[in-house]
Amino acid sequence: MKAIVIRTYGGPEGLALVELPDPVPGAGQVLIGVEAVGVGGFDTLIRSGALAAYRATGTGHVPGSEVAGTVTAVGDGVEGAWLGRRVWGFTGIGGGCAEQAVVPVDELTLLPGDLSAADAVTVGGSGAVGHFGLAHARFAPGESVLVRGAGGGIGVMTVQLAARAGASAVAVTTSSPERGERLRELGATHVLDRSGTGDGPPDGYDVVVDIAAGDALPEFLDRLRPSGRMVVVGIMAGPPPVEFGARMLAAFERSLSFATFSMDSVPGADRRAVRAEQFAAASRGELRAVVQEVLPLQEAVSAHRKLAAGEVFGRLVLTP
Ligand SMILES: NC(=O)c1ccc[n+]([C@@H]2O[C@H](COP(=O)([O-])OP(=O)(O)OC[C@H]3O[C@@H](n4cnc5c(N)ncnc54)[C@H](OP(=O)(O)O)[C@@H]3O)[C@@H](O)[C@H]2O)c1
């Protein structure tokens, strides 16, 4: 089968299209004939080598973590009823950028018949991060939310989910006024630039969902209301500065909370239930899958260049 591999960690040019043996599903796994694979910030971090210290991925690693397609084979212990079903699947740290991908049966969600594979890989991973990120922040209807780094795959879903769940305000930081306008169409009420300049709600935020972290993170602590909660779900701008902890303690009297959030901490049954609900909402048109572009698999280098250049609003999708 054809697959994309990381030959050299670093820039997008380290990716290559190669021929690999067809994978075989092991016990508890299925094989999916891949129709679409989502490409986003997680893939670029892996390709750059930035996550090498945390996640062991060798040279020849196949990137891509979320796929949609049809189950073509099942491993030991998996019900044959899965064969021929259209599913969304999480492959784990990689293996998705290929014509066929192996996915644990616990990481499958059935797709509604009218949801395209491209829409599924746009909603599936990012929508769940948005949902559980807000839940981790103990977001409640009527509270105000800031989504930092809102123009990416996770951001566009989090904005929609916060608006749909009854936030009193959904502010965003984003890289251009044009993106701000598009985010308003998805439910944003206030648009700030990446530094946080712009008109936000005067009382600040109950919740910050942060996809960027980086040097600017402490500035956003100051915008939390008393008992406000900041949850970092991504590190697109790198780790926060060392003085972050001191800044947090300096705000002691405001009883702020800071947390990180990873989908790895969510039980599989909860992930599957939320994905099924979000796929149904997307097929009813209540959630928008923001697909910037669908490219053939062999254009993975171009896809990663677009992501690295900050040209992607929502999600990029590759189709084998
Ligand atoms: N917690 C989890 O379980 C989980 C799961 C999957 C992924 N992630 C992580 O979530 C992050 C984002 O993923 P994604 O798929 O949404 O990525 P993405 O589609 O590439 O979007 C990231 C967005 O972050 C913003 N951004 C990028 N660089 C920035 C910078 N230097 N400063 C401020 N904002 C910046 C941009 O938005 P604007 O143009 O609007 O500024 C960009 O569109 C990654 O770090 C990924 O590893 C976490």
Side-chain angles (χ1 to χ4, degrees):
M1 66 164 185
K2 291 191 170 37
I4 299 296
V5 295
I6 302 176
R7 283 225 167 105
T8 324
Y9 285 87
E13 63 286 348
L15 298 171
L17 181 73
V18 297
E19 196 68 39
L20 291 180
D22 289 351
V24 177
Q29 297 177 328
V30 305
L31 187 66
I32 295 178
V34 177
E35 286 170 40
V37 51
V39 190
F42 185 52
D43 306 284
T44 56
L45 285 172
I46 289 177
R47 187 217 67 232
S48 72
L51 293 188
Y54 311 103
R55 315 251 185 160
T57 54
T59 306
H61 174 77
V62 176
S65 295
E66 67 175 308
V67 298
T70 301
V71 177
T72 56
V74 297
D76 283 351
V78 179
E79 285 179 32
W82 280 104
L83 286 166
R85 286 181 175 170
R86 281 187 79 244
V87 294
W88 175 96
F90 179 66
T91 60
I93 187 84
C97 279
E99 289 176 317
Q100 300 178 61
V102 166
V103 175
V105 70
D106 292 348
E107 299 289 356
L108 297 177
T109 304
L110 279 175
L111 291 179
D114 56 355
L115 193 70
S116 73
D119 285 0
V121 296
T122 298
V123 170
S126 300
V129 176
H131 173 93
F132 289 107
L134 285 165
H136 199 60
R138 303 189 313 282
F139 164 76
E143 290 191 319
S144 58
V145 178
L146 171 66
V147 182
R148 202 171 150 242
I154 293 173
V156 296
M157 294 305 302
T158 309
V159 167
Q160 293 184 74
L161 293 168
R164 196 170 166 237
S168 60
V170 184
V172 294
T173 75
T174 191
S175 49
S176 72
E178 294 73 29
R179 286 192 174 199
E181 284 314 305
R182 296 183 70 182
L183 288 160
R184 283 187 196 275
E185 288 166 19
L186 298 173
T189 54
H190 299 74
V191 176
L192 315 175
D193 70 14
R194 277 193 182 174
S195 71
T197 304
D199 290 331
D203 300 345
Y205 306 100
D206 298 295
V207 167
V208 174
V209 176
D210 198 296
I211 294 148
D215 287 341
L217 195 65
E219 300 302 319
F220 292 90
L221 269 183
D222 297 343
R223 300 173 189 225
L224 284 171
R225 294 160 59 95
S227 300
R229 291 89 65 198
M230 173 183 274
V231 172
V232 169
V233 303
I235 51 166
M236 296 306 294
V242 286
E243 65 267 23
F244 183 77
R247 193 83 162 250
M248 184 91 196
L249 285 175
F252 205 90
E253 70 288 353
R254 285 163 55 224
S255 301
L256 305 181
S257 299
F258 173 80
T260 56
F261 169 73
S262 166
M263 283 299 293
D264 293 350
S265 62
V266 179
D270 295 355
R271 290 199 298 255
R272 289 192 294 277
V274 164
R275 284 197 178 108
E277 191 261 316
Q278 292 188 347
F279 288 145
S283 83
R284 290 193 302 269
E286 291 165 18
L287 275 177
R288 284 222 332 248
V290 184
V291 182
Q292 153 126 356
E293 200 176 355
V294 180
L295 294 167
L297 183 67
Q298 58 267 32
E299 291 192 30
V301 170
S302 162
H304 275 245
R305 284 207 171 107
K306 286 170 192 254
L307 278 162
E311 292 171 7
V312 180
F313 182 79
R315 204 82 155 111
L316 267 185
V317 176
L318 295 175
T319 51

